[in-house]
């Protein structure tokens, strides 16, 4: 949707500022997630400390964005697509902040994992999950700027694969831990790491729904695609 | 251009503007002052000329009224009163002041010192108070106009007798009366209370004033309803097409038609065709009504147009019909303007002479007209007739008449201003 | 252009079909089809000169007083075509009241202003009846408390907001079904505006209200349905909520969000 300019140019400037803030938050969230998984694989704990500290930046960015949204509502009285954009910005920012929190949690758990010896085969899958989710995030952020509902729908579809992969990782980890009970002290952390990545995927799907709403003025009809069967796997 | 250069240029320009404005104000003031000056000169001259007409000299004599001349009850009977020789009585009583004068000529001269209407003064006194019949009363008798002028120093004593209106002998009589303190100067009420007369000293404005009033009444009764209705029709009801434009143009042109043309119209149509009485306020009023009609129509239309459309819309919105809108809302609000226009139109008509000339209202009218079909004259006509009279005394009277007419017109205009100010509504 | 399926199930109070208005041969309205529903506030919005006031004035035939103005098409109020030659315009205007942009009370007393309408329509038999009607109308217009002690005072001595409420009282005194309001608050300060908007909300229980407004915020606050006019056409008409959050038409969107073009 290519939007024409507002008569009041300050309004356009405000919306551009909002987009910039969103882009910055998105980039930061991407970095956080990528870095934490890479640090695990490269066995580099110092990076993890940086990640944990940097989460505050994301929180601050969200606070600033909130302020901007409130300002726009008070001063510009946005209507129609402008109103939707502004409300969606609020929700997407909050979601990005939560993604950041999840990335921080991943980093924390990775620290613990690196401190010990973990024997697992699931790392490549986890890496794959991470890159899938990163791609989703990247697409979603572009779709937000462009108000591209079609890409948003694709993003929602992609989450299915992430969920499937998470189910596989879950099963593998359970098998590994039941094979080597010594791993029980550290295995669950990895479970959580994988789960967090899957949850990030779900959040990105929520972002995609908002983008669809921004474009069409209505939420998408279908339920959020869920293919995560991990909650129904019996543990024996 | 540098900032400083623009500033200097600007302030120079500003000074020029101020100078031009000062000049303009000066010219405006000069114009007003010269107009006021001319007006003062005119009015001053007029007033000065008119002063003598407002006073008259009277000689006070003791007159014995014999019982035989009339009965007290008969005083109201006009015929009986007329039979009494009032004139003879007063002349005789003046002669009694000069017992030494025995010759016929002298006696006649003494009698002629009195005004022709001196007898009426005695008669009126008896009329007011019949009880004085049979007693002797002091009566103030008006002197003739020549004597009056002499006493006002308007006749030169030093002139030789042939050129003087008053003979030497008459002079001695007058001086004698003056020395005896019999002569005094009073306000000449008859100027307002009596009609025209050949005797200069008796001539008054009453019949002309009443004639003017009656004529104005007729003018008002004809022109006001017609004018206001016509204006309402043209302004509110008539569709805006060629015909309406034509009517408008013609009405505006009527206002510029010379007034004498209306007189000719009145003569031809009202008098010759409809055989209405000549010289009557009815015809005079109708002719003047035709003249005043355009003024009233134009003023009324302006007043109606000045009523803001929001009032009309409000009334229409509540469900008033167009006629109700006009009569309940527009007309009351326009009334001050309409009244002002009407009064100004009437004031203009009050000063018109030429058209009334044509229909004969220049006759010599002594009796006060009672109603609109009596013969009458109007103030401007009366003034004109007096102006043409060669007798000396009429000079001052003409000026006095003009002053009276002007006061009348001033009062009418003041009424217009008062009404407008009082009923001006702001919306 | 109407939105299907969103309309209320009740029948329209006012139904216009193909209303065309021409001034001196120039078209101001190009065929308006619009349904206005009872006991609702319908707002007409659009840029200056788009024809919304012209359309409003068609409903009570105020355009009749303008020379060289031709109206064609059908405008039904309930089951009557307002432009039927048999219709008495004076009676129509008692059924359809109007409030104007600039408050225009008559230069009479407050009482006489409200009493004028009932008087000329012969709605009362005696003074008590009239007193009742005046009191009821002033109460409904939210003005009674402020003027009950001074009904004989000049109406023009009231403040702008009070004058406008007096005009509303005057309009409702004749017990109309429909109330037309042509930018009623544009000459008033924000507080007076709020008072009148609140009043409009209360009045819609009894009357069907059509309001023309320049302020989109006001339309959004006050109305249940909104119609967007542009250059003599109605571009979009629907629930106020929808028009202001997700208009269907590009032009509407542009106008609502303050965009050029």
């Amino acid at each position: 949707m290519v939007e024409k300019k507002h008569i009041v140019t300050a309004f356009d400037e405000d919306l551009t500022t909002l987009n910039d803030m969103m882009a910055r938050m998105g980039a930061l969230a991407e970095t956080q997630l990528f870095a934490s998984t890479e640090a695990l694989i490269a066995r580099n704990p110092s990076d993890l400390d940086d990640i944990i500290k940097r989460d505050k930046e994301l929180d601050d960015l969200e606070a600033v964005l909130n302020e901007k949204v409130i300002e726009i509502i008070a001063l510009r009285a946005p209507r129609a697509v402008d109103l939707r954009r502004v409300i969606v910005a609020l929700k997407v920012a909050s979601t990005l902040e939560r993604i950041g929190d999840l990335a921080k949690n991943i980093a924390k758990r990775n620290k613990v994992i690196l401190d010990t010896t973990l024997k697992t085969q699931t790392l490549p899958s986890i890496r794959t999950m991470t890159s899938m989710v990163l791609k989703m995030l990247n697409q979603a952020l572009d779709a937000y700027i462009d108000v591209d509902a079609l890409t948003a729908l694709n993003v929602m579809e992609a989450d299915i694969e992430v969920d499937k992969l998470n189910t596989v990782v879950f099963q593998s980890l359970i098998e590994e831990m039941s094979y080597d009970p010594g791993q029980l002290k550290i295995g669950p952390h990895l479970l959580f790491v994988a789960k967090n990545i899957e949850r990030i995927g779900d959040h990105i799907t929520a972002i995609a729904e908002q983008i669809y709403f921004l474009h069409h003025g209505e939420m998408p009809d279908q339920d959020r695609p869920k293919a995560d069967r991990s909650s129904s796997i019996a543990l024996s | 251009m540098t900032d400083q250069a623009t500033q200097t240029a600007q302030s120079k320009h500003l000074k020029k503007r101020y100078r031009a404005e000062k000049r303009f104000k000066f010219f405006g003031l000069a114009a007003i002052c010269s107009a006021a000056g001319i007006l003062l000169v005119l009015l001053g001259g007029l007033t000065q000329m008119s002063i003598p007409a407002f006073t008259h000299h009277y000689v006070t004599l003791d007159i014995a009224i014999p019982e035989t001349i009339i009965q007290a009850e008969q005083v109201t009977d006009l015929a009986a009163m007329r039979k009494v020789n009032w004139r003879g009585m007063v002349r005789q009583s003046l002669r009694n002041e000069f017992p030494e004068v025995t010759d016929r000529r002298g006696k006649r001269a003494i009698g002629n010192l009195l005004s022709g209407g001196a007898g009426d003064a005695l008669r009126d006194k008896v009329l007011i108070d019949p009880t004085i019949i049979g007693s002797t009363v002091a009566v103030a008798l008006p002197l003739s106009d020549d004597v009056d002028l002499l006493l006002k120093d308007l006749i030169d004593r030093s002139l030789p007798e042939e050129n003087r209106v008053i003979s030497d002998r008459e002079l001695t009589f007058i001086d004698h009366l003056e020395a005896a303190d019999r002569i005094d100067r009073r306000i000449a009420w008859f100027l307002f209370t009596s009609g025209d007369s050949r005797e200069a000293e008796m001539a008054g404005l009453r019949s002309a004033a009443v004639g003017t009033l009656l004529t104005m009444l007729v003018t008002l009764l004809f022109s006001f309803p017609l004018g206001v209705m016509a204006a309402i029709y043209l302004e509110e009801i008539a569709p805006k097409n060629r015909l309406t434009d034509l009517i408008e143009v013609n009405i505006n042109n009527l206002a510029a038609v010379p007034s004498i043309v209306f007189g000719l119209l009145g003569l031809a149509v009202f008098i010759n065709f409809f055989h209405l009485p000549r010289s009557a306020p009815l015809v005079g009023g109708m002719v003047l009504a035709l003249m005043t009609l355009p003024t009233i129509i134009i003023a009324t239309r302006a007043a109606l147009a000045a009523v803001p459309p929001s009032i009309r819309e409000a009334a229409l919105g509540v469900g008033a019909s167009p006629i109700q809108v006009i009569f309940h809302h527009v007309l009351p609000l326009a009334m001050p303007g309409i009244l002002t226009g009407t009064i100004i139109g009437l004031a203009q008509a009050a000063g018109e002479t030429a058209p009334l000339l044509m229909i004969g209202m220049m006759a010599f009218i002594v009796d006060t007209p009672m109603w609109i079909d009596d013969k009458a004259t109007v103030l401007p006509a009366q003034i004109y007739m007096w102006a043409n009279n060669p007798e000396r005394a009429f000079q001052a009277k003409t000026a006095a008449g003009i002053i009276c007419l002007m006061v009348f017109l001033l009062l009418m205009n003041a009424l217009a201003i008062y009404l407008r100010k009082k009923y001006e509504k702001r919306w | 252009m109407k939105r299907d399926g969103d309309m209320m199930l009740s029948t329209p109070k006012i139904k216009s079909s193909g209303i065309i208005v021409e001034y001196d041969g120039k078209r101001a309205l190009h065929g308006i089809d619009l349904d206005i529903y009872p006991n609702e506030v319908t707002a007409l919005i659009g840029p200056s000169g788009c024809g919304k006031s012209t359309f409003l004035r068609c409903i009570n035939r105020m355009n009749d007083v303008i020379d060289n103005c031709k109206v064609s098409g059908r405008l039904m109020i309930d089951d009557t075509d307002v432009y039927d030659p048999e219709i008495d315009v004076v009676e129509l205007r008692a059924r359809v009241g109007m409030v104007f942009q600039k408050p225009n009370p008559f230069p009479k007393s407050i009482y006489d202003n409200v009493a004028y309408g009932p008087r000329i329509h012969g709605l009362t038999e005696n003074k008590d009846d009239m007193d009742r009607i005046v009191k009821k109308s002033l109460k409904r217009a939210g003005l009674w408390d402020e003027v009950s002690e001074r009904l004989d005072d000049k109406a023009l001595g009231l403040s702008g907001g009070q004058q406008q409420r007096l005009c509303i009282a005057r309009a409702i005194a004749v017990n109309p079904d429909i109330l037309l309001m042509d930018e009623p608050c544009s000459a008033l300060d924000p507080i007076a505006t709020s008072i009148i908007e609140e009043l409009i909300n209360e009045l819609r229980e009894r009357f069907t209200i059509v309001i023309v407004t320049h302020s989109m915020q006001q339309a959004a606050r006050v109305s249940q349905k909104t119609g967007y006019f542009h250059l003599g056409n109605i571009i979009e008409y629907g629930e106020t909520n929808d028009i202001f959050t997700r208009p269907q038409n590009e032009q509407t969107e542009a106008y609502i969000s303050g965009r050029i073009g």
Side-chain angles (χ1 to χ4, degrees):
Chain A
M1 187 194 277
V2 176
E3 283 153 18
K4 301 173 209 136
K5 295 222 173 298
H6 284 96
I7 297 168
V8 179
T9 50
F11 199 172
D12 284 325
E13 283 161 17
D14 284 339
L15 291 178
T16 309
T17 309
L18 207 60
N19 280 356
D20 289 342
M21 288 179 180
M22 192 65 71
R24 260 213 310 258
M25 277 187 81
L28 192 50
E30 278 179 311
T31 315
Q32 293 286 81
L33 178 58
F34 178 73
S36 49
T37 310
E38 284 306 298
L40 175 64
I41 292 170
R43 303 195 73 87
N44 191 346
S46 61
D47 283 350
L48 291 172
D49 284 323
D50 292 334
I51 292 168
I52 293 167
K53 268 201 283 235
R54 239 198 327 241
D55 185 62
K56 181 161 190 321
E57 254 182 66
L58 204 53
D59 294 346
D60 290 342
L61 275 175
E62 199 220 348
V64 170
L65 192 139
N66 279 359
E67 288 282 319
K68 190 71 189 168
V69 164
I70 289 174
E71 183 193 297
I72 293 178
I73 290 177
L75 299 183
R76 309 284 170 217
R79 289 177 285 273
V81 67
D82 294 327
L83 181 60
R84 298 201 298 274
R85 179 184 272 297
V86 145
I87 299 295
V88 161
L90 218 49
K91 300 189 83 169
V92 169
S94 153
T95 311
L96 284 175
E97 192 268 331
R98 249 175 287 141
I99 290 174
D101 282 344
L102 285 168
K104 181 174 86 178
N105 199 280
I106 292 172
K108 279 191 184 155
R109 290 191 192 271
N110 285 349
K111 263 190 88 174
V112 173
I113 290 171
L114 284 179
D115 250 354
T116 60
T117 43
L118 173 67
K119 297 192 207 102
T120 181
Q121 301 296 314
T122 53
L123 282 182
S125 299
I126 289 179
R127 199 188 210 169
T128 312
M129 274 176 75
T130 310
S131 58
M132 277 174 160
V133 163
L134 279 171
K135 184 156 167 242
M136 280 167 67
L137 184 55
N138 195 283
Q139 277 184 326
L141 289 169
D142 285 340
Y144 172 80
I145 302 290
D146 296 333
V147 194
D148 183 355
L150 237 53
T151 308
L153 282 172
N154 291 343
V155 166
M156 283 159 71
E157 291 280 311
D159 193 51
I160 298 174
E161 294 305 310
V162 175
D163 289 347
K164 284 195 192 148
L165 203 47
N166 183 45
T167 313
V168 168
V169 167
F170 185 83
Q171 267 177 316
S172 307
L173 282 170
I174 296 294
E175 271 173 28
E176 283 175 3
M177 281 188 279
S178 49
Y179 191 71
D180 180 2
Q183 292 294 299
L184 275 169
K185 285 207 171 89
I186 200 67
H189 285 300
L190 205 53
L191 272 173
F192 273 108
V193 165
K195 184 65 187 170
N196 281 356
I197 298 172
E198 190 268 329
R199 292 252 45 233
I200 290 175
D202 286 343
H203 281 314
I204 298 170
T205 309
I207 291 177
E209 281 176 351
Q210 290 301 308
I211 295 166
Y212 183 93
F213 171 73
L214 177 55
H215 185 120
H216 289 288
E218 282 162 345
M219 292 297 268
D221 285 331
Q222 63 265 49
D223 288 306
R224 211 182 298 160
K226 275 178 163 55
D228 178 26
R229 300 270 165 266
S230 59
S231 49
S232 27
I233 292 174
L235 304 160
S236 51
Chain B
M1 231 186 186
T2 62
D3 268 347
Q4 220 195 25
T6 18
Q7 265 192 345
T8 333
Q10 230 180 341
S11 63
K12 255 202 201 154
H13 194 78
L14 194 65
K15 286 206 180 89
K16 226 173 123 194
R17 271 167 54 190
Y18 283 148
R19 269 204 304 273
E21 280 174 23
K22 272 212 187 96
R23 246 179 317 184
F24 181 75
K25 281 190 198 158
F26 169 73
F27 282 133
L29 199 60
I32 292 177
C33 285
S34 9
I38 294 171
L39 198 62
L40 273 172
V41 165
L42 275 171
L43 284 177
L46 255 180
T47 316
Q48 202 189 36
M49 268 211 303
S50 70
I51 287 178
F54 289 107
T55 56
H56 199 77
H57 283 94
Y58 288 77
V59 59
T60 312
L61 299 172
D62 295 316
I63 306 181
I65 307 177
E67 282 176 351
T68 47
I69 53 161
I70 193 166
Q71 307 277 42
E73 313 81 62
Q74 288 179 297
V75 153
T76 46
D77 179 0
L78 271 172
M81 286 291 264
R82 230 179 256 141
K83 284 213 186 89
V84 180
N85 187 8
W86 305 105
R87 191 162 185 247
M89 279 169 62
V90 296
R91 288 168 82 103
Q92 185 53 50
S93 46
L94 185 60
R95 271 188 228 121
N96 294 344
E97 292 293 317
F98 299 93
E100 68 277 11
V101 176
T102 47
D103 62 307
R104 271 254 303 267
R105 228 179 171 178
K107 284 191 190 169
R108 219 185 27 231
I110 293 173
N112 283 343
L113 288 177
L114 287 174
S115 156
D120 294 339
L122 180 60
R123 180 194 67 194
D124 291 339
K125 209 159 172 131
V126 170
L127 185 64
I128 294 170
D129 185 10
T131 57
I132 60 174
I133 299 176
S135 52
T136 307
V137 278
V139 184
L141 302 167
L143 293 165
S144 83
D145 56 328
D146 292 331
V147 177
D148 181 59
L149 283 174
L150 179 82
L151 290 168
K152 285 174 178 164
D153 289 329
L154 290 170
I155 291 181
D156 195 354
R157 276 182 189 238
S158 55
L159 285 175
E161 195 178 0
E162 314 86 64
N163 298 346
R164 225 190 301 130
V165 187
I166 308 265
S167 68
D168 288 336
R169 203 171 175 197
E170 284 166 336
L171 265 178
T172 52
F173 294 148
I174 293 166
D175 291 336
H176 174 96
L177 287 169
E178 261 201 301
D181 224 4
R182 294 284 192 165
I183 297 182
D184 62 327
R185 197 173 180 174
R186 303 185 182 199
I187 296 188
W189 292 114
F190 56 79
L191 186 61
F192 304 109
T193 55
S194 73
D196 200 7
S197 165
R198 285 225 169 69
E199 309 279 338
E201 66 273 7
M202 304 290 26
L205 290 167
R206 193 165 95 152
S207 46
V210 173
T212 297
L213 267 157
L214 287 172
T215 311
M216 284 297 105
L217 185 67
V218 175
T219 309
L220 179 68
L221 285 174
F222 272 96
S223 62
F224 185 75
L226 276 176
V228 173
M229 290 294 138
I232 289 177
Y233 175 77
L234 284 171
E235 187 69 20
E236 306 281 334
I237 301 173
K240 304 262 180 291
N241 57 19
R242 274 240 143 98
L243 180 65
T244 313
D245 287 340
L246 194 68
I247 297 176
E248 269 187 58
V249 168
N250 278 315
I251 289 176
N252 289 340
N253 284 339
L254 264 179
V257 167
S259 52
I260 197 154
V261 174
F262 289 101
L264 287 168
L265 177 74
L267 180 65
V269 177
F270 298 143
I271 294 182
N272 288 345
F273 191 75
F274 285 114
H275 300 295
L276 291 174
R278 210 178 240 279
S279 191
L282 178 63
V283 181
M286 283 164 73
V287 167
L288 292 178
L290 285 175
M291 276 179 58
T292 319
L293 214 51
T295 310
I296 294 184
I297 292 178
I298 293 170
T300 307
R301 285 195 73 183
L304 290 171
V307 175
S310 57
I311 301 280
R312 289 173 228 257
E313 288 212 314
L316 284 170
V318 145
S321 68
I323 296 290
Q324 282 175 321
V325 172
I326 294 173
F327 284 100
H328 291 175
H329 300 282
V330 179
L331 204 55
L333 284 172
M335 204 39 90
I338 296 177
L339 283 176
T340 309
T342 307
I343 291 176
I344 289 176
L346 282 179
Q348 263 186 325
E352 282 293 337
T353 329
L356 302 178
L357 238 176
M358 303 306 312
I359 60 157
M361 287 182 93
M362 298 291 277
F364 176 70
I365 307 292
V366 178
D367 296 319
T368 312
M370 285 291 121
W371 189 234
I372 58 177
D373 52 356
D374 284 339
K375 294 224 178 309
T377 187
V378 290
L379 275 172
Q382 180 76 86
I383 293 167
Y384 176 67
M385 288 192 286
W386 281 356
N388 280 334
N389 199 312
E391 283 200 43
R392 255 315 210 12
F394 276 114
Q395 269 181 8
K397 283 212 195 281
T398 309
I402 295 175
I403 299 276
C404 285
L405 181 59
M406 282 173 64
V407 168
F408 179 65
L409 292 174
L410 199 74
L411 285 174
M412 284 189 86
N413 280 307
L415 179 64
I417 295 173
Y418 169 73
L419 280 175
R420 190 177 70 219
K421 277 232 142 63
K422 179 158 185 224
Y423 290 107
E424 205 166 40
K425 281 202 182 83
R426 251 174 272 112
W427 43 70
Chain C
M1 237 177 86
K2 281 191 279 180
R3 204 191 276 267
D4 293 323
D6 288 25
M7 294 309 188
M8 293 171 52
L9 295 168
S10 54
T11 42
K13 181 81 178 170
I14 304 172
K15 202 174 163 66
S16 87
S17 318
I19 290 286
I20 296 176
V21 175
E22 283 180 354
Y23 292 117
D24 273 328
K26 243 182 69 171
R27 279 213 176 166
L29 289 179
H30 299 278
I32 304 292
D33 298 323
L34 196 58
D35 291 345
I36 291 170
Y37 291 85
N39 298 107
E40 271 196 343
V41 181
T42 304
L44 306 179
I45 60 173
S48 291
C50 63
K52 47 193 199 293
S53 283
T54 309
F55 178 72
L56 193 77
R57 291 164 67 96
C58 284
I59 301 177
N60 67 347
R61 289 181 66 168
M62 280 296 271
N63 286 330
D64 286 6
V65 305
I66 301 176
D67 293 324
N68 308 325
C69 177
K70 270 207 317 257
V71 179
S72 48
R74 273 188 354 159
L75 201 136
M76 313 287 289
I77 295 184
D78 290 330
D79 294 317
T80 329
D81 182 4
V82 151
Y83 281 92
D84 189 334
E86 305 268 312
I87 292 290
D88 181 2
V89 173
V90 164
E91 232 189 282
L92 171 68
R93 294 193 187 132
R95 274 190 72 197
V96 183
M98 194 162 206
V99 176
F100 300 87
Q101 184 171 350
K102 190 166 176 298
N104 54 6
F106 301 131
K108 304 183 190 214
S109 70
I110 295 171
Y111 186 95
D112 285 335
N113 261 277
V114 185
Y116 181 72
R119 196 174 286 141
I120 58 170
H121 290 290
L123 298 179
T124 59
E125 309 224 306
N126 53 47
K127 181 141 200 312
D128 287 329
D129 269 349
M130 187 61 91
D131 288 348
R132 260 192 325 106
I133 288 186
V134 169
K135 180 170 177 182
K136 190 170 73 173
S137 309
L138 286 170
K139 267 190 185 267
R140 286 213 189 129
L143 195 57
W144 176 254
D145 292 331
E146 292 165 59
V147 302
S148 58
E149 301 289 302
R150 47 183 178 129
L151 291 174
D152 288 327
D153 280 3
K154 290 254 157 262
L156 291 166
L158 297 171
S159 76
Q162 288 173 321
Q163 283 187 18
Q164 192 65 303
R165 277 180 278 154
L166 179 63
C167 291
I168 292 175
R170 178 177 68 187
I172 63 183
V174 293
N175 218 13
D177 297 333
I178 298 168
L179 209 53
L180 304 177
M181 302 180 119
D182 194 347
E183 300 190 42
C185 300
S186 49
L188 305 177
D189 67 81
I191 294 196
T193 300
S194 295
I195 294 175
I196 294 204
E197 284 179 8
E198 181 59 22
L199 183 60
I200 291 175
N201 202 29
E202 286 165 26
L203 287 174
R204 75 176 168 104
E205 279 179 49
R206 289 206 142 75
F207 307 97
T208 304
I209 301 180
V210 186
I211 176 169
V212 162
T213 178
H214 265 147
S215 161
M216 278 188 277
Q217 286 303 87
Q218 181 172 80
R221 285 193 294 264
V222 131
S223 67
Q224 285 72 56
K225 298 255 192 333
T226 299
Y228 170 58
F229 276 76
H230 186 57
L231 293 177
N233 284 302
I234 181 149
I235 307 294
E236 195 172 338
Y237 175 61
E239 299 283 324
T240 297
N241 203 347
D242 289 340
I243 296 279
F244 282 99
T245 56
R246 46 187 151 232
Q248 303 275 56
N249 186 296
E250 228 175 71
Q251 278 182 291
T252 317
E253 175 98 62
Y255 181 73
I256 300 264
S257 52
R259 286 184 154 79
I260 308 167

